Amino acid sequence: MSIIVTGADGYLGWPTALRIADRTDERVVLVDNFGRREWVESVGSTSAVPVTHIDERVDVAKETLDLANISFVEGDLTDRSFVDQLLSVHEPETIVHTAAQPSAPYSQINGERANYTQHNNLQSTRNLLWGLHETGLEDTHFIETTTTGVYGAPEFPIPEGGAVMENGGERDEVPFPAMAGSWYHLSKSHDAANMRLAHTQFGLPISDVRTAIVYGTGTNETAADPRLSTRFDFDYYFGVVAHRFCAQAVAGYPMTVYGKGEQRKPFIALEDAVEGLAQLALGDPDARPDDHVVYNQVTRAISIVEMAETVADVGSEFGLDVDVKHFENPREEDETHKMEIENDRYADLIGGQSTTFEEGVRQILETLLDHEGTVTAHEDRFLPDVLTDDEQNETVIEFTESEESDSSEEIQSVSGK
């Protein structure tokens, strides 16, 4: 028996695989097809932190962390025959499925990328679910990182799982409706529905881990050797907003807050995200779950403007003079939405938040200053192409607070760096 971690060359998958392997003697099989490297390269960007090849990573992990129980298999999870062979050979008791095309902006570029995102993500998950059923591995615990983006932005507190629906005086808990705002997020909504169906039809134990925006440059395991570092993307398409703000600060580039920036988004430090997945993967086999459980993998919600101000404040400790600029929002979203999201189940799993956002920002800035040349060489990737095509006519919105705390707008044209 073994534990399989898919997407193991990726930002979240790699440190998760190391954490799991460090806490068990079972064989941990890493699976990837290096898609993330290709997607980032295709938009003209790169990881700020050098990412060694997976073969060297595995060798260093064995040598530095004494992880003799890890191995790597290259393969495409959309290939049904590969998945069937993978499951038949390794007979996993647990699968941690982090493999996906994870970028909402990338999925929105055009119809080709939207189609690719949904095909890649849905086909991979379906192949794994059906493969477990058809190879007689229905007791395998299937853990997938979906996304909190499946919830959209409702005006009520987001539950950790289903929603209560009432009609004709009768009430019942139903799956939360797919309110996703991008082709990527909708792919994960479909994954969530397919996992629920697989549990119902095949009896598979399912943990649907709805992952928030993950930030941070590493974990205790990746810090053991520079060659164990996980990737760090900072461009518009693959760099989450916290990473992009930190990279902009290091490059002396104004932090690009879209619109008012008062909308709150769910966040979690990489360390806390990895810990939860490890806890799920390494639970007592005799107490293996036989249910379908949803976890909101989030530790707190932060507004975009608060995030930018925090980066500016922490950046001053490093001598960085950081401007916060409000740009016209290229996205359709409520710029004042005050998200509330329940996370009791996940908080119990990890024992509470281990890293504050301020600590995470400090760690990120320290790392990026060591790789400043890579960041500045790709600063044209901070903004989507539709904006960078005409930088000299960038529209910036400056907000001032009235006595009633209502935001008023003053629009001016400035040259954008």
Side-chain angles (χ1 to χ4, degrees), residues 390-402:
D390 192 13
E391 287 183 331
Q392 297 305 311
N393 293 304
E394 197 70 70
T395 298
V396 175
I397 306 173
E398 292 189 352
F399 294 96
T400 58
E401 295 298 319
S402 69

Side-chain angles (χ1 to χ4, degrees), residues 15 33 53 84 130 139 174 183 277 292 330 370 391 393:
N33 68 344
H53 190 273
D84 288 346
W130 271 97
D139 289 335
V174 298
W183 298 96
L277 294 175
H292 173 279
D370 289 338
E391 287 183 331
N393 293 304

Side-chain angles (χ1 to χ4, degrees), residues 106-120:
Y106 183 85
S107 75
Q108 299 287 116
I109 291 175
N110 54 33
E112 178 183 358
R113 287 176 172 85
N115 283 342
Y116 174 82
T117 298
Q118 294 215 345
H119 170 74
N120 180 80

Side-chain angles (χ1 to χ4, degrees), residues 5 11-21 96 98 270 273-275 277-278:
V5 180
Y11 170 68
L12 178 57
W14 171 246
T16 296
L18 293 180
R19 175 74 48 91
I20 292 171
V96 182
T98 72
L270 179 61
V274 165
E275 180 62 21
L277 294 175

Side-chain angles (χ1 to χ4, degrees), residues 242-317:
H243 291 180
R244 194 165 66 252
F245 281 176
C246 288
Q248 288 173 324
V250 167
Y253 193 106
M255 282 185 289
T256 49
V257 176
Y258 296 137
K260 294 181 175 68
E262 296 171 5
Q263 67 273 38
R264 292 197 306 196
K265 301 289 187 182
F267 284 84
I268 186 168
L270 179 61
E271 175 67 33
D272 291 330
V274 165
E275 180 62 21
L277 294 175
Q279 290 287 348
L280 286 171
L282 299 173
D284 184 354
D286 295 330
R288 183 169 301 284
D290 58 3
D291 206 350
H292 173 279
V293 183
V294 173
Y295 297 87
N296 286 342
Q297 193 182 40
V298 54
T299 50
R300 65 167 293 195
I302 316 172
S303 75
I304 302 302
V305 71
E306 178 189 352
M307 190 185 325
E309 291 169 351
T310 300
V311 173
D313 289 343
V314 176
S316 66
E317 300 174 12

Side-chain angles (χ1 to χ4, degrees), residues 42 51 56 67 115 123 145-146 176 184 199:
S42 76
V51 184
E56 183 176 1
L67 302 183
N115 283 342
Q123 186 78 346
T145 53
T146 55
F176 196 93
Y184 158 69
H199 169 70

